[in-house]
Structures are given as C-alpha cells and as structure tokens.
Amino acid sequence: MHRTKESAVSSIANGSRTETASPSSPRPSDDPRFTVVDDAIAELATGARTWSRLTLGQRARLFERVRAAVGAVAEEWADTASLSKDLAPGHPLRGEEWLAGPYAVLVSLDAYLVSLRALASGRSPLEGVRTDAAPGGRIRAHTFPSRAIDGLLLSGYTGEVWLQPGVTAEEAVGSAGLGQRRPTASGGVGLVLGAGNVTSIPVLDVFYELLAHNRTVILKVNPTQDALVPIYERALAPLIGPGFLRIVRGAGDVGAHLTGHPGIAHVHITGAATTFDAIVWGPGETGEQNRRDNRPALHKPITAELGGVSPVIIVPGAWSDADLRFHAEHVATMRLQNSGHNCIAGQVVIVSADWPQREAFLTALATAYDAAPARSVWYPKADEKLQAAASAYPSAIWNADRTRALVELDADADATALETTEYFAPVLGVVSLPGNGQEFLDAAVAHANQKLTGTLGANVLIDPTTLAALGDGFERAIADLRYGAIAINTWTAFAFLTPTVTWGAFPGGTADDVQSGIGIVHNGYLLDRVERSVVRGPFRPFPRSAGAIGRPGTFSVLPKPPWFVTSRTGAAVSEGFTRFKIDGNLPRLAATLVQAFRA
C-alpha cells in the first residue's frame, strides 16, 4: 500500500490547490454571494432537464460551437495565464500556457466530438481501435495516435488504456460512451471545484461532468484563476447560455456552501488531500472525530484528483553522453515545468547504486536543473514548502536564488519527508537502490508502491537495448506499478495532454483513504472500468532516434519536445501547434515544424 496517512497531513502546504472549507461552515444569511450561488444552481437544475432532451447530434453541434469559441480566445487565454504566473512577454516558458491551456482543451474537444458523432450514428467510440492482451488478465486499447496528423506531430509517442482485469474487448466496445449511451438520464447538477495551477483543468472537468455523467455544472474557480474567469465565460458561452454551466468565484466559505447545498448531486475536486478530507469529514479536530466515528460531513458522492509524490525510475543501461544529457533535461522538466506546481511533477528519482553511469547522470541532472530558465515560484504557500525542504534536508543543493532544491540521499538517510510530502514546488530528490536489470526494476517498483505517497503518475526511463533484454519482465513490472498513469520514456504530463487516454488515480481510493483520488477524467472515448493509462515515447529524439529503425526501440522524427524547459523554441512551437489545432493551416504548421527542429 502507498503511504497515505502522512499525505493528509503533509500536503497542507500545497497551497490548498482547491480553496474549499467543510460543508458545515456557517453561511451568513444576508450574504448576496450565496443568493447568486443559489440562483445559479436553480438555473442549472432547469438546464439539466434541457440537456436530457438534446440529441447526440445536437450535443455534438453544441461542442463544435464551444471549440470555435475556445479558438477565438486562445491567444488571450495563454497571455493572461502567462502573466498570472509572472511569465513576461518573450519569456521562453510561455509555451507552457499554450499547451496546458487552450491546446489541451481543443484536443479534448476533438476527441469528444469523435465519440459523440460515433454514438449518434449508432457506433461505439471504440470501434476500430486495436485492442490486445496486457499482463494479469487485462486488455488494453491502443488509443493514441488515433489520426495520421497525431502520428506526425508527436512521432514516436503512443498511448494505451488498460482496463480492469476481467473486462473483455467486447465489453469495452459495448460500454464505451458512458452517459452518452443514456442521454435522457439526467445526472442532476454537479459541482466542480477547480484547480488553481493549470488553466485547462477546470474546463476539462466541466466537459467530463456533462458527457460522462450527464450533469450540468457549477464551476467554482480557484482564486488563483480569477483573471481567467472572463475568458472562461467567453470560451464556454455556448454552454452557459442554455443553462448547462455556471461559473462562480469565491474562497472557502463559498465552496463550503456549494458542497453542502441540497441542489448539488455530486462533487468533483482537483486539489490537495487535506482539502478533500475537510470536505468529506469536516475541518480540524471535528473532522478527525467524524472520521473516527465514521460520520462523514458530506452526504453525496465525490470524485477527486489529488496528486502525490511521483517517481522517476531510471533503469540502468549503457547510455551515451547525449542520452545522459537528454534525460537529465527530461527529469529537470518533470520537476520544473510550471515551476513545480503540478500534481504529477517528478519528485523522487530512483537510480541504481550499482549503475556505472550513476554519477555521470547525476552530474548531468544537477547541470540541467541549475541551467533551466529562471522563473517565479508563484503558487501560494510554495515558499513554505521550500522552507520545509530546507529544514528536513540541510545538505540539499540550492540554486536559482534558492528556489530549487536537489536532494541526494545517502543509503542511511531518512527519506520519509521526501517520499511522503508532495512539495508542489521545485524540490527534487534522488534515492538509490541496489541492483541491475530486472532485479533493480522490480525493487524500484516495489519501493514506489510501498514508500511513496499517492497513486497518480509514475515515470520510467529505459534504453532500447535494456528494454529488449528484459522482454516480458518489463511489461510485468509495469503491470505491478500501482499508478493511474505510467509514462515510459516520456513524462506523465503527456498522458494528461492526450485526451484519448485517461487521467486519475489508480483504483482503490476511498473517502477514508483517498490516496491520489477517486475516479478518472479526460477519457475521450468515454471508456468504462478503466484501471490505468500507459504512454510511451522515444528514448532518443531525432536524429539520434534513427538508430531504432528495425531494432528494438522507438523511432521518432520529433527533436527535443516543446514542453522541455530547455527547448529554445518551445514557446513558438507550442503556440504553433495550438494555432494549427484552431485553423488547420498546413503552411503555417510547416513553419512551426521548422522551429521544432531548432529546439
């Protein structure tokens, strides 16, 4: 079992990624904010009846209008998000806000539109998608790439959805579509408590409520996203007009009123485990007593995505100097993208103490970590997390004006804080285990499962020769990793950005032991009984990937990915990819690809 009791305590300083108090918090009877909220819920109840009368074709046309509206505000969206995170015009990392904002929303809309149109014509969204066996009596659906253009833009990257053991391919095809297979069955009004760190998350959660569950939605944005609200309102105007969505602002008291409102049928939160516990059980000592007595304060279903401590498992092999540099930048990206304020930021690097190249890799990692572009640690209370890391690990190496910590632990050092505290800030640790080959991989998987808090995302880096040598043993080890998203030679953020795979914790979280959450989102094919998603990328970028042709490994024509924090052209390429999703302009895409090769 993952260590989760510490998670509920130690994630306090995540900055309360969702600002919400418990349902028992008092409401001032004359506060006009609550009247606005009550009116919005009443309007959504009417909207839920309207939604249940729309045909699948009408829903598809509605989401086409949303897509056009998102495209119209994309530049303002990316610019406003960048400025809110202290990324001034011209900053090399502004591309993050194109990819994690409008791009993520546009590709998700495309995936949902494909599924809606298939269902409207009487077909399963999964029809035509290749499935095969995965270890442990599972099947997996190969859901990415689904179109030739995806294979071009993200050459060498693939995505699979693994279903729970015992689910057959026929059952998967027959159940794909979730709520859209029963479009007249209303799910009532759902509450989305939006994340504060990534601007696409609240919007994607709204889509999933509508499509997977037939729930109209009241979205309470995190205060960190207040500047985006006018943009959200324009982007989502086709959903707001007919009463399918309302957007409200406010702090914990507004959230508390919403979670306790009798008109809310379901709650979904992206945030911290402490916030989840306060919602479900109540705040402070009251909540602890309620938990002991098994008397939850929340009397309605809840789903959640709550982050965790993500491992980066480095499988030892014979790496070239270029491999060492590339994957050092890769790991630095996993920690430093969005200034570390990500629920699946890589936090614990697990390396072999017996790997002859261990020191060379760690030297390259320290160099890449220090050389990444400077930026603010902008998320509320992140400075407290950095101070906590400094206190726990006085030998940590600090750089970037003491805003980044690199912690290399000796064999006898206490790794508890590093492995059980989701720092949600630039703190990266290194833990060493003995062994090579399968022995090391199995030990690293067991360590991640047993020692690290959470079950959201895990990363594995392995060279093609070692991967071929391990054979079936590698896939068995992946099956043993108890994480909802697993990235092999890429980062789990790729799973987040890929709408035809799923996003969420490994199954098993409960209200009493929530781990990294309950349920999934994204899931463009609307698949049922999902266990996890696995994404795979090229170990080497182009042109060094050319050696993988005809041999074990992954060939790619993609050079350094634009999401790397060290990409010289990442901002231009990320913007270019987004603009291509908006207008399909092939000549302009060609210019973007030229920029990609200059990364």
Side-chain angles (χ1 to χ4, degrees):
M1 292 295 293
H2 286 60
R3 298 172 65 168
T4 57
K5 294 302 181 183
E6 295 94 334
S7 174
V9 175
S10 65
S11 58
I12 289 174
N14 279 355
S16 293
R17 279 175 277 162
T18 303
E19 301 278 344
T20 309
S22 82
S24 58
S25 299
R27 166 194 167 177
S29 58
D30 58 349
D31 192 325
R33 294 174 303 156
F34 297 106
T35 301
V36 170
V37 167
D38 293 346
D39 290 345
I41 293 172
E43 292 161 0
L44 289 165
T46 301
R49 293 190 290 273
T50 305
W51 179 259
S52 67
R53 291 176 172 86
L54 293 186
T55 67
L56 294 177
Q58 288 172 323
R59 295 178 185 191
R61 289 190 290 275
L62 179 67
F63 274 84
E64 288 170 356
R65 292 174 53 209
V66 174
R67 193 188 192 287
V70 170
V73 301
E75 183 173 356
E76 184 183 1
W77 182 331
D79 187 57
T80 301
S82 296
L83 292 175
S84 75
K85 299 179 181 183
D86 299 329
L87 297 176
H91 195 286
L93 298 180
R94 284 169 69 94
E96 293 179 1
E97 298 311 314
W98 283 93
L99 284 183
Y103 176 89
V105 172
L106 289 164
V107 295
S108 290
L109 285 165
D110 286 344
Y112 287 134
L113 282 166
V114 169
S115 291
L116 283 170
R117 290 165 184 155
L119 290 163
S121 66
R123 296 179 293 109
S124 167
L126 204 55
E127 240 175 71
V129 175
R130 181 169 66 92
T131 60
D132 62 9
R138 300 170 175 88
I139 65 159
R140 59 186 169 191
H142 295 264
T143 57
F144 184 88
S146 58
R147 300 181 304 167
I149 191 65
D150 296 328
L152 170 65
L153 295 182
L154 293 163
S155 171
Y157 289 81
T158 62
E160 312 151 16
V161 178
W162 292 27
L163 302 180
Q164 295 174 12
V167 178
T168 67
E170 293 75 17
E171 289 171 335
V173 171
S175 61
L178 297 178
Q180 299 314 291
R181 286 192 166 274
R182 303 172 299 279
T184 61
S186 173
V189 179
L191 166 64
V192 168
L193 297 168
N197 59 326
V198 174
T199 63
S200 62
I201 291 177
V203 178
L204 298 179
D205 291 348
V206 165
F207 295 164
Y208 202 65
E209 286 290 292
L210 279 165
L211 294 173
H213 305 294
N214 283 320
R215 287 192 280 262
T216 54
V217 186
I218 186 163
L219 165 63
K220 191 195 86 67
V221 297
N222 187 290
T224 64
Q225 304 281 9
D226 277 352
L228 273 294
V229 170
I231 296 166
Y232 288 157
E233 289 173 339
R234 296 201 301 281
L236 302 175
L239 300 177
I240 294 172
F244 304 147
L245 171 67
R246 292 291 182 267
I247 302 174
V248 297
R249 314 183 201 203
D253 55 349
V254 174
H257 178 66
L258 284 163
T259 57
H261 196 289
I264 297 295
H266 179 274
V267 177
H268 178 78
I269 170 180
T270 299
T274 45
T275 309
F276 176 91
D277 289 341
I279 292 169
V280 172
W281 301 103
E285 288 299 324
T286 299
E288 289 301 316
Q289 185 62 52
N290 286 344
R291 188 196 292 268
R292 288 191 292 269
D293 296 340
N294 195 28
R295 291 186 318 202
L298 184 72
H299 302 291
K300 59 194 66 174
I302 183 170
T303 52
E305 190 265 85
L306 304 175
V309 175
S310 291
V312 185
I313 298 172
I314 311 293
V315 182
W319 293 17
S320 69
D321 289 344
D323 294 335
L324 294 169
R325 290 192 300 271
F326 178 77
H327 285 294
E329 294 177 21
H330 198 172
V331 174
T333 294
M334 295 180 193
R335 178 72 270 183
L336 296 179
Q337 200 271 354
N338 199 26
S339 204
H341 310 313
N342 287 328
C343 54
I344 38 78
Q347 181 165 307
V348 175
V349 180
I350 304 176
V351 298
S352 169
D354 301 320
W355 185 24
Q357 294 178 289
R358 175 183 179 277
E359 292 305 319
F361 174 74
L362 294 182
T363 298
L365 177 59
T367 299
Y369 199 63
D370 181 44
R375 65 174 301 173
S376 297
V377 179
W378 62 269
Y379 205 83
K381 300 185 180 180
D383 56 338
E384 296 177 15
K385 297 299 282 188
L386 293 174
Q387 292 168 12
S391 176
Y393 299 107
S395 64
I397 299 171
W398 290 84
N399 47 41
D401 294 327
R402 290 191 64 83
T403 60
R404 301 174 191 166
L406 183 59
V407 182
E408 183 181 342
L409 297 181
D410 297 328
D412 57 351
D414 184 2
T416 301
L418 183 68
E419 295 181 333
T420 62
T421 304
E422 184 191 4
Y423 282 104
F424 213 65
V427 178
L428 180 65
V430 178
V431 173
S432 297
L433 301 177
N436 282 296
Q438 193 72 51
E439 176 191 13
F440 168 80
L441 179 58
D442 290 343
V445 167
H447 189 93
N449 284 345
Q450 296 166 13
K451 299 292 187 180
L452 272 58
T453 288
T455 62
L456 184 62
N459 311 274
V460 181
L461 302 180
I462 181 170
D463 68 272
T465 301
T466 304
L467 178 62
L470 295 184
D472 291 343
F474 180 78
E475 291 298 314
R476 176 187 53 75
I478 294 303
D480 288 342
L481 260 177
R482 296 177 60 84
Y483 287 83
I486 299 172
I488 301 163
N489 290 335
T490 182
W491 175 29
T492 44
F494 180 72
F496 174 88
L497 282 175
T498 303
T500 51
V501 299
T502 59
W503 188 249
F506 193 83
T510 65
D512 190 51
D513 184 13
V514 70
Q515 302 186 51
S516 285
I518 300 169
I520 60 170
V521 290
H522 303 184
N523 189 19
Y525 285 112
L526 298 171
L527 303 181
D528 197 13
R529 297 175 66 188
V530 169
E531 182 185 65
R532 74 182 87 194
S533 287
V534 178
V535 293
R536 305 173 195 250
F539 180 75
R540 298 182 176 100
F542 187 83
R544 294 190 301 112
S545 64
I549 297 177
R551 297 188 343 204
T554 304
F555 171 70
S556 176
V557 298
L558 189 71
K560 184 182 294 185
W563 55 84
F564 268 41
V565 293
T566 52
S567 172
R568 291 180 298 179
T569 60
V573 174
S574 299
E575 178 180 348
F577 278 6
T578 308
R579 292 192 183 279
F580 176 72
K581 289 296 180 183
I582 294 169
D583 59 22
N585 186 311
L586 286 172
R588 190 158 57 196
L589 175 63
T592 296
L593 294 177
V594 170
Q595 289 277 62
F597 279 90
R598 297 177 54 241

